[in-house]
PDB file of all heavy atoms in Angstrom:
ATOM      1  N   GLU A  45       8.263  23.338   2.568  1.00 97.00           N
ATOM      2  CA  GLU A  45       8.153  23.414   4.014  1.00 97.00           C
ATOM      3  C   GLU A  45       6.776  23.957   4.370  1.00 97.00           C
ATOM      4  O   GLU A  45       6.244  24.819   3.673  1.00 97.00           O
ATOM      5  CB  GLU A  45       9.246  24.361   4.552  1.00 97.00           C
ATOM      6  CG  GLU A  45       9.346  24.416   6.048  1.00 97.00           C
ATOM      7  CD  GLU A  45      10.543  25.241   6.485  1.00 97.00           C
ATOM      8  OE1 GLU A  45      11.649  24.672   6.576  1.00 97.00           O
ATOM      9  OE2 GLU A  45      10.367  26.458   6.713  1.00 97.00           O
ATOM     10  N   VAL A  46       6.191  23.405   5.424  1.00 97.00           N
ATOM     11  CA  VAL A  46       4.912  23.917   5.897  1.00 97.00           C
ATOM     12  C   VAL A  46       5.056  24.306   7.365  1.00 97.00           C
ATOM     13  O   VAL A  46       5.880  23.746   8.091  1.00 97.00           O
ATOM     14  CB  VAL A  46       3.765  22.901   5.721  1.00 97.00           C
ATOM     15  CG1 VAL A  46       3.549  22.564   4.254  1.00 97.00           C
ATOM     16  CG2 VAL A  46       4.010  21.634   6.518  1.00 97.00           C
ATOM     17  N   THR A  47       4.243  25.263   7.769  1.00 97.00           N
ATOM     18  CA  THR A  47       4.267  25.757   9.138  1.00 97.00           C
ATOM     19  C   THR A  47       2.890  25.574   9.750  1.00 97.00           C
ATOM     20  O   THR A  47       1.882  25.933   9.126  1.00 97.00           O
ATOM     21  CB  THR A  47       4.665  27.247   9.159  1.00 97.00           C
ATOM     22  OG1 THR A  47       5.937  27.375   8.515  1.00 97.00           O
ATOM     23  CG2 THR A  47       4.761  27.775  10.573  1.00 97.00           C
ATOM     24  N   ASP A  48       2.865  25.009  10.949  1.00 95.00           N
ATOM     25  CA  ASP A  48       1.576  24.780  11.596  1.00 95.00           C
ATOM     26  C   ASP A  48       1.026  26.084  12.165  1.00 95.00           C
ATOM     27  O   ASP A  48       1.651  27.141  12.084  1.00 95.00           O
ATOM     28  CB  ASP A  48       1.680  23.685  12.659  1.00 95.00           C
ATOM     29  CG  ASP A  48       2.304  24.129  13.975  1.00 95.00           C
ATOM     30  OD1 ASP A  48       2.908  25.223  14.040  1.00 95.00           O
ATOM     31  OD2 ASP A  48       2.192  23.374  14.948  1.00 95.00           O
ATOM     32  N   GLU A  49      -0.152  25.983  12.759  1.00 87.00           N
ATOM     33  CA  GLU A  49      -0.825  27.174  13.271  1.00 87.00           C
ATOM     34  C   GLU A  49      -0.116  27.785  14.478  1.00 87.00           C
ATOM     35  O   GLU A  49      -0.427  28.903  14.880  1.00 87.00           O
ATOM     36  CB  GLU A  49      -2.280  26.832  13.608  1.00 87.00           C
ATOM     37  CG  GLU A  49      -2.414  25.638  14.503  1.00 87.00           C
ATOM     38  CD  GLU A  49      -3.764  24.931  14.403  1.00 87.00           C
ATOM     39  OE1 GLU A  49      -4.505  25.122  13.436  1.00 87.00           O
ATOM     40  OE2 GLU A  49      -4.051  24.171  15.316  1.00 87.00           O
ATOM     41  N   LEU A  50       0.872  27.073  15.040  1.00 91.00           N
ATOM     42  CA  LEU A  50       1.622  27.596  16.194  1.00 91.00           C
ATOM     43  C   LEU A  50       3.032  28.058  15.829  1.00 91.00           C
ATOM     44  O   LEU A  50       3.775  28.517  16.688  1.00 91.00           O
ATOM     45  CB  LEU A  50       1.701  26.524  17.288  1.00 91.00           C
ATOM     46  CG  LEU A  50       0.360  25.996  17.793  1.00 91.00           C
ATOM     47  CD1 LEU A  50       0.565  24.857  18.774  1.00 91.00           C
ATOM     48  CD2 LEU A  50      -0.461  27.121  18.410  1.00 91.00           C
ATOM     49  N   GLY A  51       3.430  27.871  14.563  1.00 93.00           N
ATOM     50  CA  GLY A  51       4.731  28.357  14.120  1.00 93.00           C
ATOM     51  C   GLY A  51       5.806  27.306  13.929  1.00 93.00           C
ATOM     52  O   GLY A  51       6.925  27.629  13.537  1.00 93.00           O
ATOM     53  N   MET A  52       5.505  26.027  14.200  1.00 95.00           N
ATOM     54  CA  MET A  52       6.498  24.968  13.979  1.00 95.00           C
ATOM     55  C   MET A  52       6.509  24.599  12.498  1.00 95.00           C
ATOM     56  O   MET A  52       5.459  24.481  11.868  1.00 95.00           O
ATOM     57  CB  MET A  52       6.146  23.728  14.816  1.00 95.00           C
ATOM     58  CG  MET A  52       7.200  22.636  14.699  1.00 95.00           C
ATOM     59  SD  MET A  52       6.988  21.309  15.914  1.00 95.00           S
ATOM     60  CE  MET A  52       5.605  20.426  15.240  1.00 95.00           C
ATOM     61  N   SER A  53       7.709  24.409  11.937  1.00 96.00           N
ATOM     62  CA  SER A  53       7.846  24.090  10.510  1.00 96.00           C
ATOM     63  C   SER A  53       8.363  22.677  10.303  1.00 96.00           C
ATOM     64  O   SER A  53       9.147  22.167  11.109  1.00 96.00           O
ATOM     65  CB  SER A  53       8.804  25.071   9.837  1.00 96.00           C
ATOM     66  OG  SER A  53       8.261  26.369   9.848  1.00 96.00           O
ATOM     67  N   VAL A  54       7.908  22.068   9.213  1.00 95.00           N
ATOM     68  CA  VAL A  54       8.314  20.717   8.828  1.00 95.00           C
ATOM     69  C   VAL A  54       8.533  20.706   7.325  1.00 95.00           C
ATOM     70  O   VAL A  54       7.788  21.349   6.573  1.00 95.00           O
ATOM     71  CB  VAL A  54       7.221  19.685   9.212  1.00 95.00           C
ATOM     72  CG1 VAL A  54       7.485  18.333   8.596  1.00 95.00           C
ATOM     73  CG2 VAL A  54       7.101  19.552  10.715  1.00 95.00           C
ATOM     74  N   LYS A  55       9.533  19.973   6.888  1.00 96.00           N
ATOM     75  CA  LYS A  55       9.769  19.825   5.453  1.00 96.00           C
ATOM     76  C   LYS A  55       8.927  18.668   4.916  1.00 96.00           C
ATOM     77  O   LYS A  55       8.757  17.655   5.579  1.00 96.00           O
ATOM     78  CB  LYS A  55      11.242  19.562   5.183  1.00 96.00           C
ATOM     79  CG  LYS A  55      12.123  20.757   5.504  1.00 96.00           C
ATOM     80  CD  LYS A  55      13.496  20.583   4.900  1.00 96.00           C
ATOM     81  CE  LYS A  55      14.381  21.755   5.232  1.00 96.00           C
ATOM     82  NZ  LYS A  55      14.037  22.971   4.559  1.00 96.00           N
ATOM     83  N   VAL A  56       8.411  18.838   3.702  1.00 97.00           N
ATOM     84  CA  VAL A  56       7.713  17.746   3.033  1.00 97.00           C
ATOM     85  C   VAL A  56       8.720  17.057   2.118  1.00 97.00           C
ATOM     86  O   VAL A  56       9.740  17.641   1.757  1.00 97.00           O
ATOM     87  CB  VAL A  56       6.476  18.241   2.243  1.00 97.00           C
ATOM     88  CG1 VAL A  56       5.507  18.990   3.143  1.00 97.00           C
ATOM     89  CG2 VAL A  56       6.878  19.099   1.066  1.00 97.00           C
ATOM     90  N   ASN A  57       8.451  15.804   1.750  1.00 95.00           N
ATOM     91  CA  ASN A  57       9.424  15.141   0.881  1.00 95.00           C
ATOM     92  C   ASN A  57       8.953  14.957  -0.552  1.00 95.00           C
ATOM     93  O   ASN A  57       9.736  14.566  -1.399  1.00 95.00           O
ATOM     94  CB  ASN A  57       9.937  13.822   1.486  1.00 95.00           C
ATOM     95  CG  ASN A  57       8.842  12.834   1.793  1.00 95.00           C
ATOM     96  OD1 ASN A  57       7.665  13.155   1.718  1.00 95.00           O
ATOM     97  ND2 ASN A  57       9.223  11.630   2.149  1.00 95.00           N
ATOM     98  N   VAL A  58       7.688  15.271  -0.855  1.00 98.00           N
ATOM     99  CA  VAL A  58       7.221  15.243  -2.241  1.00 98.00           C
ATOM    100  C   VAL A  58       6.321  16.460  -2.459  1.00 98.00           C
ATOM    101  O   VAL A  58       5.354  16.665  -1.724  1.00 98.00           O
ATOM    102  CB  VAL A  58       6.440  13.944  -2.563  1.00 98.00           C
ATOM    103  CG1 VAL A  58       6.005  13.935  -4.017  1.00 98.00           C
ATOM    104  CG2 VAL A  58       7.276  12.710  -2.262  1.00 98.00           C
ATOM    105  N   ILE A  59       6.657  17.254  -3.453  1.00 98.00           N
ATOM    106  CA  ILE A  59       5.890  18.462  -3.730  1.00 98.00           C
ATOM    107  C   ILE A  59       4.887  18.209  -4.848  1.00 98.00           C
ATOM    108  O   ILE A  59       5.254  17.782  -5.948  1.00 98.00           O
ATOM    109  CB  ILE A  59       6.826  19.628  -4.102  1.00 98.00           C
ATOM    110  CG1 ILE A  59       7.736  19.942  -2.908  1.00 98.00           C
ATOM    111  CG2 ILE A  59       6.017  20.866  -4.487  1.00 98.00           C
ATOM    112  CD1 ILE A  59       8.794  20.955  -3.196  1.00 98.00           C
ATOM    113  N   LYS A  60       3.616  18.433  -4.523  1.00 98.00           N
ATOM    114  CA  LYS A  60       2.483  18.386  -5.445  1.00 98.00           C
ATOM    115  C   LYS A  60       2.488  17.160  -6.366  1.00 98.00           C
ATOM    116  O   LYS A  60       2.388  17.285  -7.587  1.00 98.00           O
ATOM    117  CB  LYS A  60       2.417  19.662  -6.271  1.00 98.00           C
ATOM    118  CG  LYS A  60       1.043  19.901  -6.879  1.00 98.00           C
ATOM    119  CD  LYS A  60       0.993  21.205  -7.648  1.00 98.00           C
ATOM    120  CE  LYS A  60      -0.375  21.407  -8.259  1.00 98.00           C
ATOM    121  NZ  LYS A  60      -0.442  22.646  -9.039  1.00 98.00           N
ATOM    122  N   PRO A  61       2.559  15.945  -5.794  1.00 98.00           N
ATOM    123  CA  PRO A  61       2.479  14.767  -6.660  1.00 98.00           C
ATOM    124  C   PRO A  61       1.060  14.572  -7.187  1.00 98.00           C
ATOM    125  O   PRO A  61       0.092  15.105  -6.610  1.00 98.00           O
ATOM    126  CB  PRO A  61       2.851  13.624  -5.717  1.00 98.00           C
ATOM    127  CG  PRO A  61       2.345  14.090  -4.386  1.00 98.00           C
ATOM    128  CD  PRO A  61       2.628  15.578  -4.380  1.00 98.00           C
ATOM    129  N   ASP A  62       0.943  13.813  -8.246  1.00 98.00           N
ATOM    130  CA  ASP A  62      -0.371  13.374  -8.724  1.00 98.00           C
ATOM    131  C   ASP A  62      -0.854  12.349  -7.706  1.00 98.00           C
ATOM    132  O   ASP A  62      -0.283  11.264  -7.569  1.00 98.00           O
ATOM    133  CB  ASP A  62      -0.230  12.738 -10.106  1.00 98.00           C
ATOM    134  CG  ASP A  62      -1.547  12.214 -10.645  1.00 98.00           C
ATOM    135  OD1 ASP A  62      -2.553  12.178  -9.902  1.00 98.00           O
ATOM    136  OD2 ASP A  62      -1.566  11.804 -11.823  1.00 98.00           O
TER     137      ASP A  62
END
Side-chain angles (χ1 to χ4, degrees):
E45 186 173 274
V46 298
T47 303
D48 78 347
E49 52 204 18
L50 303 175
M52 184 169 75
S53 295
V54 169
K55 292 194 181 289
V56 303
N57 57 351
V58 182
I59 297 173
K60 200 178 179 182
D62 178 351

